[in-house]
Amino acid sequence: MSEVSLLLRRSGFGTTGAEVAAATARGYEATVEALLTPGADPGAVPPPELGVEPARPPKADDKAARRTYTRQLRTRSETLALWWLDRMVRVQQPLVERLTVTWHGHWATSIQKVRSPAMMLAQNETLRAKGRGDFRELARAMVRDPALLVWLDGQRNKKGKPNENLARELMELFTLGVGHYSETDVREAARALTGWTVDRAHATAAPVPKQHDDGSKTVLGVTGDLDDRGLVDLLTARPESAAFVATRLWSRLGSSTLPADTLARLVAAYGPNRDVTALLRALYLDPAFRADKSSLVAAPVEYVVGVFRALRLEVPREGKPGRGLLATLDALGQVPFRPPSVGGWPGGVAWLSTAATRERLTFATAMAKKADLGAVSSASDRPAAAAHLLGVDAWTPRTLAALKDAAAEPARLVTLALISPEYLVR
């Protein structure tokens, strides 16, 4: 795989031969810079109008009201997920959405507990708006994010009755990593995060001073009247936080292995300003990234969005087709806004199960039948045309033999190409 092809596939949702050719002509470094400095994107579909949040039935035994509420919530949740998938497919500068998906997995929050599409949309917009700048600013916004507060019981965290859930995950999963704090630090950090309430009707969060513990706390050896902002500033300034963030982004966007010298360069680029874009620039320009070949497996959302983009198909935004698309992602193991836990989704070979392979085959078959495959049908070398369509540099002899056997049937040929290791592993 060429380094340009590798860059485009890992910074977005797959690529095409035409995009690889254009980027090759532009040059690798210039392509990296273009990825990192996106302008206004005419393909960025605006968020849906979700309207007023449906009120929860006041009585638990009112079955009719509960059914209505559940149906409204499900419809709004589907609308939100299909909108984001559509946006990922239509954008012309996919790194922004790819990074938003990455942060969604990092600050993993599920609508299944939050039960508010409006709050999940607000969090999604925060991840997109702040995900390429100072990581501290992103973390500051996230500890006040209504959806995250509900997800990790932050609104239940009050003076005298601290709830440690958000504090623990803030240190373990979001900023420091395992082994860099004590149980005492968790308890003290929870005190710093006390006093926030969530208004579900308006999808907002606000401080309640009388519920905040304004006494002195000691976290990681630092003593003071810490509040949520002071705590985040303390955590994100720690050297282990820089290494943690760099390692997380490398594992999702770079490679399955991280050499020590590469980590040092990523941390240096991230620097005291916690600059995510500088970190990404260092990541894409690092020799270890450019030399790596085929070590990341496309996660289900990346795969499905990539197929829509390559075959120029439209995402169904409603009805049975829309629900069918979400069912496919559910079967593959990754539905937007529904991570399985606060730890987010797995990665790598976890996506290569036998069940997932069968589901990808079903999906790829359906998509190939819908697509205009004229460029493949009219080509004298159909396997090569399929490679160009999907942005694959070359087929292995084994895959090429299978594609040649299917060359008389363009839809079958493209289906096989879509489930090939060359397309799936990037």
Side-chain angles (χ1 to χ4, degrees):
M1 189 186 305
S2 72
E3 60 180 16
V4 167
S5 179
L6 185 75
L7 171 66
L8 296 182
R9 295 177 78 174
R10 292 188 182 173
S11 62
F13 304 94
T15 186
T16 66
E19 291 171 344
V20 172
T24 301
R26 185 186 300 123
Y28 187 90
E29 287 77 8
T31 299
V32 169
E33 208 53 41
L35 288 169
L36 296 174
T37 53
D41 192 330
V45 181
E49 292 292 338
L50 294 173
V52 179
E53 289 276 287
R56 289 187 175 187
K59 297 181 179 178
D61 59 352
D62 189 339
K63 295 182 179 179
R66 288 182 64 83
R67 282 197 295 272
T68 299
Y69 170 74
T70 300
R71 185 174 61 253
Q72 291 174 331
L73 182 62
R74 182 175 61 246
T75 299
R76 289 160 58 85
S77 299
E78 292 171 352
T79 297
L80 182 64
L82 292 170
W83 157 73
W84 194 15
L85 291 167
D86 189 28
R87 184 179 175 114
M88 292 182 219
V89 170
R90 291 176 183 269
V91 289
Q92 297 176 12
Q93 300 163 72
L95 176 61
V96 176
E97 295 309 313
R98 178 65 190 278
L99 191 58
T100 304
V101 174
T102 300
W103 286 132
H104 178 36
H106 180 84
W107 300 90
T109 306
S110 175
I111 199 169
Q112 289 182 299
K113 178 176 177 180
V114 176
R115 301 180 74 78
S116 168
M119 282 197 272
M120 296 301 298
L121 174 58
Q123 184 186 92
N124 179 269
E125 292 180 318
T126 296
L127 296 175
R128 184 175 297 104
K130 297 183 179 295
R132 291 179 292 126
D134 182 344
F135 181 78
R136 182 181 66 178
E137 295 302 318
L138 174 60
R140 282 178 168 181
M142 291 305 293
V143 296
R144 297 181 178 185
D145 177 74
L148 191 69
L149 286 169
V150 172
W151 173 237
L152 295 177
D153 306 313
Q155 84 281 23
R156 302 178 187 276
N157 186 21
K158 301 175 182 178
K159 180 180 180 180
K161 297 180 180 178
N163 184 302
E164 299 172 1
N165 203 9
L166 176 57
R168 184 181 304 281
E169 307 306 0
L170 178 62
M171 289 193 278
E172 180 173 322
L173 295 176
F174 304 151
T175 61
L176 298 178
V178 176
H180 298 297
Y181 59 89
S182 68
E183 287 302 307
T184 300
D185 292 323
V186 172
R187 288 192 290 272
E188 291 289 275
R191 292 176 57 212
L193 296 174
T194 52
W196 283 85
T197 188
V198 172
D199 180 346
R200 297 188 69 90
H202 298 92
T204 57
V208 181
K210 67 179 181 181
Q211 295 180 0
H212 174 65
D213 184 339
D214 56 3
S216 181
K217 303 106 180 168
T218 300
V219 178
L220 299 171
V222 176
T223 300
D225 178 17
L226 294 170
D227 59 6
D228 65 313
R229 179 154 296 188
L231 176 66
V232 165
D233 292 357
L234 188 161
L235 298 178
T236 56
R238 302 280 297 187
E240 52 268 43
S241 180
F244 178 73
V245 173
T247 301
R248 178 60 63 91
L249 290 181
W250 178 266
S251 70
R252 299 305 187 197
L253 304 172
S255 172
S256 58
T257 58
L258 175 55
D261 58 339
T262 295
L263 176 58
R265 287 190 287 272
L266 298 183
V267 169
Y270 184 71
N273 294 324
R274 302 155 300 273
D275 189 334
V276 173
T277 292
L279 191 160
L280 292 175
R281 181 178 292 106
L283 185 155
Y284 293 132
L285 294 177
D286 196 89
F289 177 88
R290 300 174 72 163
D292 187 71
K293 305 297 180 187
S294 304
S295 67
L296 291 182
V297 179
V301 167
E302 298 166 33
Y303 176 78
V304 166
V305 169
V307 173
F308 271 99
R309 290 175 65 95
L311 300 185
R312 298 181 179 277
L313 292 171
E314 293 188 359
V315 171
R317 294 283 297 271
E318 59 186 4
K320 187 175 180 181
R323 292 193 295 275
L325 175 58
L326 295 178
T328 294
L329 284 166
D330 191 28
L332 289 171
Q334 189 182 37
V335 180
F337 303 108
R338 284 176 50 193
S341 72
V342 69
W345 289 279
V349 296
W351 302 124
L352 298 178
S353 68
T354 301
T357 300
R358 285 197 299 267
E359 194 62 37
R360 277 194 296 273
L361 175 60
T362 301
F363 172 72
T365 301
M367 297 294 282
K369 287 180 179 177
K370 293 179 183 176
D372 178 357
L373 302 179
V376 176
S377 303
S378 61
S380 57
D381 186 342
R382 288 179 172 177
H388 185 78
L389 179 69
L390 303 180
V392 174
D393 286 347
W395 304 114
T396 62
R398 183 175 181 179
T399 300
L400 182 59
L403 296 181
K404 284 182 175 178
D405 286 344
E409 304 170 69
R412 180 165 166 255
L413 185 154
V414 170
T415 297
L416 294 176
L418 288 172
I419 62 172
S420 69
E422 293 88 333
Y423 184 73
L424 186 62
V425 181
R426 48 194 64 178

